[in-house]
Amino acid sequence: MASTEEDGSVEEKENNNKKRTKSAIAVAWLTFYNIAMTAGWLVLAMAMMRFYIQKGTHKGLYKSIARTLKFFQTIALVEVVHCAIGIVRTSVIVTGVQVCSRIFMVWFITNSIKQIQNEESVILFLAVWTFTEITRYSFYTFNLLNHLPYFIKWARYNMFIIMYPLGVAGELLTIYTALPYVRKTGMLSMRLPNKYNVSFDYYYFLVIVMLSYIPLFPQLYFHMLRQRRKVLLGEIIVEKDE
Ligand SMILES: CCCCCCCCCCCCC[C@@H](O)CC(=O)SCCNC(=O)CCNC(=O)[C@H](O)C(C)(C)COP(=O)(O)OP(=O)(O)OC[C@H]1O[C@@H](n2cnc3c(N)ncnc32)[C@H](O)[C@@H]1OP(=O)(O)O
């Protein structure tokens, strides 16, 4: 009996040690990840400002930062994995929608349709994303290091109130501007007859994407409002299990 109890406590200790080691690894990885992402978006911010100061126009700005933007925005897919394996307490669905819609904007809209790259709406969503991500990743970094300045916490949970609608406006305007080019060129579309016997019209797909902002965006926005109440006002919020 005594030995069983002893075994039990050894096992328990081992499990606790494992949990501690795992969370230490998770914390180390997240700290590294968030520092790298803060740096990446800071580089983007500086590149955009330098371009604008030197050239005095936004024309050509997207092209000049496209590679860095594609790299750091695509890497953000890792955040869906963070949620899925449980190292951050965030919904996979909320994070998935946020990250995938951004990746879609970057790769399948702005990168694929050269004619729209100089639109003001592109600069609008780029500026908003950049500001948001610098704030968000520095918030996570300082939080993990237990040295979170209040102004970063304040900015993380207040600026989105304006930034989210502005970012969405930039994204929707960009897709809207892309529609005539997509219709004219028939890009990424498949018309019948073809050997796969499949028809796909990218133009209508984009219309559906635009419409999908109506049910999806409020969910992201209200999620952030709930997070805001929890973090800034200390409200206890019971989230439904997924
Ligand atoms: C294929 C075609 C798809 C087309 C889809 C079309 C539909 C699209 C509709 C959607 C529109 C989106 C538009 C969007 O792109 C526009 C913009 O972004 S504009 C700029 C403004 N944006 C924002 O402010 C972004 C706000 N969103 C977010 O911050 C996140 O993405 C979100 C997942 C929504 C919310 O974040 P989260 O739930 O993680 O909240 P918290 O930050 O409070 O964190 C919760 C806890 O998790 C910990 N955490 C999370 N991530 C990390 C990390 N990287 N490192 C460390 N810790 C992390 C965090 O600390 C919290 O922990 P705890 O509760 O323990 O304190």
Side-chain angles (χ1 to χ4, degrees):
M1 182 72 182
S3 87
T4 321
E5 269 173 16
E6 229 172 70
D7 286 353
S9 74
V10 168
E11 208 176 297
E12 227 168 67
K13 271 184 198 160
E14 259 176 21
N15 276 343
N16 284 344
N17 278 346
K18 250 189 218 167
K19 267 188 206 161
R20 262 199 294 274
T21 322
K22 212 163 128 192
S23 72
I25 292 170
V27 168
W29 160 250
L30 286 173
T31 308
F32 166 78
Y33 173 79
N34 290 312
I35 291 174
M37 293 302 271
T38 311
W41 285 93
L42 273 172
V43 166
L44 269 166
M46 285 189 295
M48 285 196 269
M49 284 191 283
R50 201 179 51 208
F51 184 96
Y52 195 77
I53 290 165
Q54 282 176 357
K55 311 267 175 189
T57 173
H58 67 278
K59 297 206 164 84
L61 189 152
Y62 175 80
K63 206 173 166 204
S64 75
I65 54 113
R67 273 172 70 149
T68 321
L69 172 72
K70 283 185 277 182
F71 180 78
F72 284 101
Q73 189 53 65
T74 309
I75 288 278
L77 272 174
V78 169
E79 284 164 48
V80 184
V81 179
H82 291 164
C83 305
I85 61 174
I87 62 171
V88 301
R89 290 191 301 151
T90 306
S91 145
V92 181
I93 297 172
V94 172
T95 308
V97 171
Q98 171 71 58
V99 172
C100 292
S101 68
R102 292 268 195 95
I103 288 178
F104 179 76
M105 268 320 289
V106 169
W107 285 100
F108 293 95
I109 304 286
T110 325
N111 191 60
S112 310
I113 310 167
K114 306 256 178 301
Q115 293 90 334
I116 56 146
Q117 289 175 357
N118 288 330
E119 291 293 326
E120 278 91 354
S121 58
V122 172
I123 307 304
L124 174 62
F125 79 71
L126 280 183
V128 168
W129 288 9
T130 307
F131 177 85
T132 302
E133 296 306 47
I134 293 170
T135 314
R136 187 165 74 93
Y137 291 118
S138 48
F139 167 84
Y140 294 142
T141 306
F142 287 115
N143 204 19
L144 285 165
L145 299 173
N146 291 320
H147 280 89
L148 179 62
Y150 185 75
F151 81 93
I152 293 186
K153 185 173 169 176
W154 184 93
R156 162 77 182 132
Y157 290 106
N158 280 301
M159 291 309 288
F160 80 89
I161 295 173
I162 294 177
M163 291 296 178
Y164 238 160
L166 278 180
V168 165
E171 292 173 26
L172 286 176
L173 275 171
T174 304
I175 304 179
Y176 182 75
T177 313
L179 286 175
Y181 299 105
V182 173
R183 177 165 256 178
K184 203 165 116 193
T185 57
M187 63 177 283
L188 302 177
S189 301
M190 280 175 96
R191 307 234 188 277
L192 287 171
N194 61 55
K195 66 174 174 177
Y196 305 105
N197 213 19
V198 171
S199 161
F200 176 75
D201 195 318
Y202 192 49
Y203 177 88
Y204 288 109
F205 178 75
L206 288 187
V207 173
I208 293 169
V209 167
M210 289 177 80
L211 291 175
S212 71
Y213 274 66
I214 299 169
L216 294 176
F217 172 59
Q219 301 199 36
L220 296 180
Y221 198 70
F222 284 115
H223 169 81
M224 283 306 292
L225 286 174
R226 279 196 298 275
Q227 289 298 97
R228 179 179 186 274
R229 288 209 305 273
K230 191 176 95 178
V231 178
L232 293 185
L233 310 175
E235 274 183 31
I236 297 162
I237 286 153
V238 183
E239 300 267 3
K240 272 191 244 158
D241 282 347
E242 266 161 43

